[in-house]
Amino acid sequence: PVNAFTLWTPDQVKVIKGAEQIGRFNKVGTSDRQHCKRCGGHVMTDHPTFGLTDVYAATIPTLAFKPGVHVNYSETVLRIKDGLPKLKDFPKELGGTGEALTE
């Protein structure tokens, strides 16, 4: 029910090991999802319309991940009371409403 991801500009993302094992799926052109061909695990997703790549936080073992916001919170099945902003969908800058929900 929770997915921790980090946002980067594409020039900041480089696969340094196992690139030959990355498969891709891009159904509608706005999200190029990348996964491990061996295990099927998520790796990252390129979002060319936003100029961003979201990399799953768990794939960067040295990253000190600190969440900043919850997106698509209107669809959540796990309510989290952590004091962070909860957005109905996405920020306005990324094509969402930017509407904040109560915790």
Side-chain angles (χ1 to χ4, degrees):
V2 176
N3 179 18
F5 63 90
T6 61
L7 293 173
W8 309 83
T9 58
D11 63 312
Q12 294 175 301
V13 178
K14 180 179 178 183
V15 176
I16 57 172
K17 186 176 178 184
E20 70 283 354
Q21 293 299 324
I22 294 179
R24 296 175 175 267
F25 179 75
N26 190 333
K27 184 176 181 179
V28 296
T30 57
S31 296
D32 182 19
R33 300 171 191 269
Q34 298 173 42
H35 62 277
C36 175
K37 290 192 266 185
R38 273 203 240 154
C39 72
H42 299 291
V43 178
M44 67 181 117
T45 304
D46 287 327
H47 300 285
T49 54
F50 303 139
L52 295 169
T53 299
D54 73 60
V55 180
Y56 297 96
T59 65
I60 311 172
T62 58
L63 179 70
F65 179 74
K66 183 177 180 194
V69 65
H70 295 274
V71 296
N72 297 315
Y73 200 70
S74 64
E75 304 294 325
T76 192
V77 295
L78 177 64
R79 300 285 173 203
I80 299 173
K81 295 188 179 201
D82 58 6
L84 293 175
K86 316 289 193 273
L87 299 182
K88 174 184 175 185
D89 43 36
F90 286 102
K92 283 185 179 181
E93 308 84 49
L94 298 179
T97 65
E99 181 182 335
L101 301 176
T102 59
E103 194 167 66

